[in-house]
Amino acid sequence: SNVRHLLTIGDLSTAEFSKLVLNAAAHKATAKAGRPPKLIRKKLTRQTVAMIFSKRSTRTRVSTEAAVTMMGGHPMFLGKDDIQLGVNESLYDTSKIISSMTSCIVARVGPHDDVANLAKYSSVPVINALSNDFHPLQTIADFLTIHEAFKEQGVNSSGVVPDKLKIAWVGDANNVLFDLAIGCMKLGVDISVATPPDYRIPETMMAFIKEQGKTAPSPGTISEYFVPEEAVKDANVIVTDTWVSMGQEEETQKRLKAFAGFQVTDELAKRGGAKTDWKFLHCLPRHPEEVSDEVMYGPRSLVFQEGENRLWAAVAALEGFVAKKGRFVFDNPS
Ligand code: CP
Ligand code: NVA
């Protein structure tokens, strides 16, 4: 079928990804100016968006439900104890049935294959709401936040970010990082990643990330470090996430030990030579070990703006993928 899905930022061209971020920015600006959101108000009228969530969520659930409501549709939350999936029914059967009655499936899963298989068997667009490998909605919100914070410094050909922007990721190589790095490749941003040696980006994922630059008009770069100070050098933005993702709870003690020294602090940024006006991002939920209170709640922190931007990311993604009755609004390359 020619239904388009959003499983990773890798599913989007540079132009499509930029458009989602800029559409999100435009809808937010309209709302903040107190104007009625005319462009999106009726986009999902009488349509149902199924939300299959096998893990906890605050931001993704609330932003998706609020976005669908704003767009005139009905969000149907299906938690892991609500439906037969995984206990008494296969992904294939579940996807066939749910997609036959709804306009979109937004799914939060463990193994990425689960959301990929939902998409394979679905007759409507599937949007990944976090898998073990990717978190595209977070990446749209992160680049919206970066766009808002840096746009007065000019924008490169993507229209989203300034020339020569440098992002440093300090922490675990996880789902949030992978899509963020892909976004960097697409938009021409340089990203430096510092992880403990045993927690570096897996080789196949690194190859996938780098491949994303090949089709970008002016690709970004990615470099790997095992010392946080080296990664933050000249960074405009420092980003981290939890050291223990959902599903890794039994590794908590081992991970806390392995990540010692990776906490994002003002001192780390100073020692490493980050730009003096560096900004901080974190997708949340946050724990004190990965970032100091001073950074998290200080003037560099964009985390609450970033969290709020999840709403506008959801609006833009639903508009792009669903609002034309299951047909993507951008050109289908195939
Ligand atoms: N950032 C994010 O996805 O948060 P939730 O897990 O609360 O949805
Ligand atoms: N890396 C985290 C992100 C949560 C939004 C996790 O997968 O649990």
Side-chain angles (χ1 to χ4, degrees):
S1 91
N2 66 349
V3 173
R4 293 265 316 258
H5 305 287
L6 179 58
L7 304 186
T8 157
I9 297 300
D11 292 338
L12 301 167
S13 69
T14 293
E16 289 169 343
F17 178 46
S18 304
K19 188 117 182 76
L20 287 179
V21 176
L22 296 175
N23 284 350
H27 296 317
K28 179 179 177 181
T30 300
K32 293 285 173 182
R35 293 194 298 271
K38 260 191 250 150
L39 284 174
I40 54 170
R41 204 174 42 181
K42 294 180 178 168
K43 290 257 171 164
L44 295 176
T45 304
R46 283 184 293 280
Q47 298 190 58
T48 298
V49 172
M51 300 170 62
I52 304 177
F53 277 48
S54 72
K55 292 174 181 172
R56 285 186 306 275
S57 170
T58 298
R59 280 142 290 271
T60 308
R61 177 178 180 173
V62 174
S63 61
T64 303
E65 293 204 19
V68 173
T69 302
M70 274 173 83
M71 296 167 83
H74 172 63
M76 179 186 283
F77 187 81
L78 304 167
K80 69 177 188 330
D81 299 323
D82 295 324
I83 53 173
Q84 307 274 12
L85 175 64
V87 182
N88 195 30
E89 195 161 21
S90 70
L91 265 171
Y92 179 89
D93 297 0
T94 304
S95 182
K96 283 279 216 204
I97 293 296
I98 293 181
S99 67
S100 72
M101 303 179 196
T102 61
S103 297
C104 178
I105 297 174
V106 177
R108 171 166 285 201
V109 300
H112 186 72
D113 274 356
D114 286 359
V115 71
N117 281 325
L118 275 174
K120 191 165 156 196
Y121 309 130
S122 169
S123 55
V124 298
V126 172
I127 297 177
N128 179 6
L130 181 86
S131 68
N132 288 347
D133 291 353
F134 300 109
H135 200 3
L137 293 170
Q138 185 67 50
T139 305
I140 297 167
D142 290 355
F143 277 101
L144 169 57
T145 311
I146 290 170
H147 175 70
E148 291 173 331
F150 290 91
K151 63 175 188 276
E152 69 276 11
Q153 298 180 25
V155 286
N156 67 10
S157 61
S158 73
V160 176
V161 291
D163 268 329
K164 295 194 179 72
L165 189 79
K166 185 174 167 188
I167 296 181
W169 176 279
V170 175
D172 190 22
N174 66 17
N175 40 17
V176 173
L177 167 65
F178 302 149
D179 258 337
L180 179 70
I182 291 168
C184 289
M185 298 306 102
K186 302 239 176 225
L187 299 183
V189 173
D190 297 325
I191 182 165
S192 295
V193 178
T195 65
D198 290 344
Y199 295 88
R200 65 193 291 179
I201 302 173
E203 228 172 284
T204 51
M205 184 58 76
M206 190 56 131
F208 182 72
I209 293 166
K210 286 183 174 164
E211 202 184 294
Q212 302 304 313
K214 292 194 181 139
T215 50
S218 56
T221 63
I222 180 163
S223 39
E224 259 194 302
Y225 301 87
F226 304 119
V227 177
E229 283 81 353
E230 292 175 11
V232 302
K233 183 159 176 33
D234 294 327
N236 304 97
V237 184
I238 301 179
V239 194
T240 193
D241 183 15
T242 184
W243 296 342
V244 187
S245 284
M246 288 182 274
Q248 300 173 333
E249 290 79 4
E250 72 288 353
E251 297 171 31
T252 302
Q253 287 318 313
K254 197 174 131 213
R255 284 176 164 269
L256 291 185
K257 225 177 267 169
F259 286 85
F262 279 73
Q263 190 193 43
V264 176
T265 62
D266 279 321
E267 296 70 43
L268 165 67
K270 207 170 279 173
R271 279 199 310 275
K275 298 275 194 222
T276 50
D277 58 350
W278 65 277
K279 300 291 185 204
F280 177 70
L281 292 180
H282 189 311
C283 64
L284 310 177
R286 169 260 183 179
H287 319 82
E289 63 266 17
E290 70 253 11
V291 56
S292 67
D293 280 356
E294 190 186 22
V295 171
M296 170 77 188
Y297 300 107
R300 305 178 177 288
S301 178
L302 301 176
V303 299
F304 293 102
Q305 182 183 335
E306 179 186 10
E308 179 179 351
N309 282 344
R310 291 295 309 272
L311 172 63
W312 304 104
V315 167
L318 290 163
E319 179 186 32
F321 281 81
V322 192
K324 290 217 171 153
K325 288 260 171 206
R327 299 277 305 281
F328 194 68
V329 296
F330 301 139
D331 292 337
N332 193 322
S334 59

